[in-house]
Amino acid sequence: PLETSRPGIYVAGAFSSPKEIAETVIDASGAVAESLKLLSGTRGSLSRERLIPPERDISGEPVRLGVFVCRCGTVVADVVDTAAVTQFAARLPDVVHSQEVEFACLPEGIEEIKGAIRAHGLNRVVVAACTPRTHQALFRRVLQEEGLNPYLLEFVSIREHGAWVHADDPAGATRQAKEMVRVGAARARLLQPVHKERRPVKHQTVVLGGGIAGMTAALTLADWGYDVYLVEREAQLGGNVRHIYFTAEGPDPQRFLKTLIRDVECHENIAVLKNSELVGFEGRVGDFRSTVRTRHPDGTTTTRVIEHGVLIVATGAQEYRGPVYLFGQDPRVITQMDLERRIATALEEIAALNEVVMIQCVQPPNAAMEYCSRTCCTNTMKNALRIKEINPDCKITVLYKDLITYGFREEFYTEARRRGVLFVRYEEGQRPTVQVVDGRLQVRSRDPILGTTLVWEPDLLALSMASVPDESNARLARLLGVPLSREGFFMEDHLKLRPVDFSIDGIFLCGSAHYPKFIEEAISHAKAAAGRAMTILTKDEREVGGVVAVVDQTKCVGCLTCVRTCPFHIPRIQPNAVGVGGILGAAYIEPANCTGCGTCTSECPADAIQLTTFHDRQVVIEDAAVLGQWCPG
Ligand SMILES: Cc1cc2nc3c(=O)[nH]c(=O)nc-3n(C[C@H](O)[C@H](O)[C@H](O)COP(=O)(O)OP(=O)(O)OC[C@H]3O[C@@H](n4cnc5c(N)ncnc54)[C@H](O)[C@@H]3O)c2cc1C
Ligand code: SF4
Ligand code: SF4
């Protein structure tokens, strides 16, 4: 779906069809993964190693603080009086240099900052500018290139938190900028170097789920030369697409699936583990250990432990097949997937039909959440159009609540109407009913436009059942320590901006395990997941640490508060570690896993946990008026 007719040119986002942000981000990551395939031979050939001088030991130095106030052209300077803020900063304790910069992030600005660090022997730096979200990494690098530890930077956001939100109050915004710089400078005086650990990265990947998404992700990584373990619970690869015989757009999914399965099963870098499931999981990004249990035909099971650097969840979704509208009780009531199989394999039966009714949005009874299963409406158009092709006289009525044929698929709805398929709306509180009367299947539905109840006696009733998450999701999510959505699908780290990542580094998500998706969407998502995995697999080592929680075990009372409150289940009690008063058992937080959210830090009753660069004394800052206090302007 990301390729164009011209090799080497890929397409992403709304350029190909109307898309929302998450799909666009997924496409973009997938397109990068596709292009990397072409570039694999030359990867890294144009990259240069960054020369970083040895880090200066500042332990014996008095604090020498530099403050740089960015005008951001006119964006900040039109609102905030940056000259006044710079003069104000010059009078703050330990500030030996303060300077206005036109654009701190452009090469000239960076050179000015570097020059000042050298000229004034600075050992702490405050940058008052836009937002750390986008620019902190850049300025940390600037410090590194001048021989300073990157964590000796304090970022103050006078644009996003000041100029932009107080554009109509320049005097107030200037006053606020001074206060933020004052507190930033006070914090910067307490900054200490932070050193990260380097750990080796294992270059193997585990992919859970051998549907179209899992196989695509596995093949993409394997083609790049990485070893992949593809873990499939069933005896066959293929997932749902094994039951899809044609698509609305035309291409034959079975041919595509057969080729994909062959490529996966024959690939020297892919080990396919069928009848297998994940039963144990531990470790951290770059260094996971998965225990996989395999069932054998003779009823025995074996387990194996796989060491790997990343994991991709591609466990898909399924068509609901529970007891609604007489499904499972009357053979004339079938699902859209059943209907598709009959269209593909029993032409004569379809040719003999007089009347078919289809009901959309069929949810499991007592479903906790109702949601759109995305593919069903298009699937209904697809099946209705095929029946009309085979048997133009067959009467087809679609009972719907909402009809959503995403993007350009609207054309199939238009075509279905043109071919005489009838669409009758029902309202949420008045769903259709189905019963057998004198041996005949009877469907009744109230038409809100006509204000009357209509009755059909079809030969077949096809239900557009919801796509439901896999039953194993809850157990799997607990094992991996990743969240599920309220609907029971796997939940990405950020709805719009990180639709492939989990909040735990090194675990990625693709396909219908995320939410129901069309085949091409599942493929793009899988390529995106492979691309994201590559950002880890291409490295031999990974830095861990930075802003993370650290337990002082000599203060720990082993109360388990951190173990219970950490949203990512990171803290563990080390049974042999000695805690307060010599008791055995103290908490440990693995720096490679900690996200630095700070929850445990504030909850620990023994005050035994500190967050690097946010130590209590760096938050409370005793020798500067901080919380709720304004200095004279
Ligand atoms: C009725 C219906 C009709 C559809 N029609 C169309 C269509 O016409 N066109 C279209 O584009 N799309 C269609 N789709 C959507 C299409 O099926 C999906 O896009 C596709 O199946 C998604 O692939 P996947 O790999 O994400 O998930 P799946 O196909 O669901 O594959 C997931 C795989 O993971 C395995 N698995 C699950 N749990 C575990 C576990 N814990 N450990 C190991 N393995 C596990 C499963 O056995 C399965 O093999 C339809 C879907 C449905 C339900
Ligand atoms: S909350 Fe504090 S005292 Fe309790 S186990 Fe964790 S680190 Fe130890
Ligand atoms: S800082 Fe957050 S992620 Fe890290 S251990 Fe504490 S609660 Fe967990």
Side-chain angles (χ1 to χ4, degrees), residues 216-228 267-270:
T216 303
L219 196 60
T220 309
L221 288 169
D223 280 346
W224 284 328
Y226 295 102
D227 288 336
V228 181
H267 206 295
E268 57 178 357
N269 295 338
I270 302 179

Coordinates of all heavy atoms in Angstrom, one line a residue, residues 216-228 267-270:
T216 N 4.2 -9.8 7.8 CA 4.8 -8.7 7.1 C 5.9 -8.1 7.9 O 7.0 -7.8 7.4 CB 3.7 -7.6 6.7 OG1 2.7 -8.2 6.0 CG2 4.3 -6.5 6.0
A217 N 5.7 -7.9 9.2 CA 6.7 -7.3 10.1 C 7.9 -8.3 10.1 O 9.1 -7.8 10.0 CB 6.2 -7.1 11.5
A218 N 7.6 -9.6 10.2 CA 8.7 -10.5 10.3 C 9.6 -10.5 9.0 O 10.8 -10.5 9.1 CB 8.2 -11.9 10.6
L219 N 8.9 -10.5 7.9 CA 9.6 -10.6 6.6 C 10.4 -9.3 6.4 O 11.5 -9.4 5.9 CB 8.5 -10.8 5.5 CG 9.1 -11.2 4.1 CD1 9.8 -12.6 4.3 CD2 7.9 -11.3 3.1
T220 N 9.8 -8.2 6.7 CA 10.5 -6.9 6.5 C 11.9 -6.9 7.3 O 12.9 -6.6 6.8 CB 9.7 -5.7 7.0 OG1 8.4 -5.8 6.4 CG2 10.3 -4.4 6.6
L221 N 11.8 -7.4 8.6 CA 13.0 -7.4 9.4 C 14.0 -8.5 8.9 O 15.2 -8.3 8.8 CB 12.6 -7.7 10.9 CG 12.0 -6.5 11.6 CD1 11.4 -7.0 12.9 CD2 13.0 -5.4 11.8
A222 N 13.4 -9.6 8.5 CA 14.3 -10.7 8.0 C 15.0 -10.3 6.7 O 16.2 -10.6 6.5 CB 13.5 -12.0 7.8
D223 N 14.3 -9.6 5.8 CA 14.9 -9.1 4.6 C 16.1 -8.2 4.9 O 17.0 -8.0 4.1 CB 13.9 -8.4 3.7 CG 13.0 -9.4 2.9 OD1 13.4 -10.6 2.9 OD2 12.0 -9.0 2.4
W224 N 16.0 -7.5 6.0 CA 17.1 -6.6 6.4 C 18.2 -7.3 7.0 O 19.2 -6.8 7.5 CB 16.6 -5.5 7.4 CG 15.8 -4.4 6.7 CD1 16.0 -3.9 5.5 CD2 14.8 -3.7 7.3 NE1 15.1 -2.9 5.2 CE2 14.3 -2.7 6.4 CE3 14.2 -3.7 8.6 CZ2 13.3 -1.8 6.6 CZ3 13.1 -2.8 8.8 CH2 12.7 -1.9 7.8
G225 N 18.0 -8.6 7.3 CA 19.1 -9.5 7.8 C 19.0 -9.8 9.3 O 19.9 -10.3 9.9
Y226 N 17.9 -9.4 9.9 CA 17.7 -9.7 11.3 C 17.0 -11.0 11.5 O 16.0 -11.3 10.8 CB 17.0 -8.6 12.0 CG 17.8 -7.3 12.0 CD1 17.5 -6.3 11.1 CD2 18.9 -7.1 12.8 CE1 18.3 -5.1 11.0 CE2 19.7 -6.0 12.8 CZ 19.3 -5.0 11.8 OH 20.1 -3.9 11.8
D227 N 17.4 -11.8 12.6 CA 16.7 -13.0 12.9 C 15.4 -12.7 13.6 O 15.3 -11.9 14.5 CB 17.6 -13.9 13.8 CG 18.8 -14.4 13.1 OD1 18.7 -14.5 11.8 OD2 19.8 -14.7 13.7
V228 N 14.3 -13.5 13.2 CA 13.0 -13.2 13.7 C 12.4 -14.6 14.2 O 12.5 -15.6 13.5 CB 12.1 -12.6 12.7 CG1 10.7 -12.4 13.3 CG2 12.6 -11.3 12.1
H267 N 12.2 -18.4 4.6 CA 13.2 -17.4 4.8 C 14.2 -17.9 5.8 O 13.9 -18.4 6.9 CB 12.6 -16.1 5.3 CG 13.4 -14.9 5.0 ND1 14.7 -14.7 5.6 CD2 13.2 -13.8 4.2 CE1 15.2 -13.5 5.1 NE2 14.3 -13.0 4.3
E268 N 15.5 -17.7 5.5 CA 16.5 -18.3 6.4 C 16.6 -17.6 7.7 O 17.1 -18.1 8.7 CB 17.9 -18.3 5.7 CG 18.3 -16.9 5.2 CD 19.7 -16.9 4.6 OE1 20.3 -17.9 4.5 OE2 20.1 -15.8 4.1
N269 N 16.1 -16.3 7.7 CA 16.2 -15.6 9.0 C 15.0 -15.7 9.9 O 14.9 -15.0 10.9 CB 16.5 -14.1 8.7 CG 17.8 -13.9 8.0 OD1 18.7 -14.7 8.2 ND2 18.0 -12.8 7.3
I270 N 14.0 -16.4 9.4 CA 12.7 -16.5 10.2 C 12.5 -17.9 10.7 O 12.5 -18.9 10.0 CB 11.5 -16.1 9.4 CG1 11.6 -14.7 8.8 CG2 10.2 -16.2 10.2 CD1 10.5 -14.2 8.0

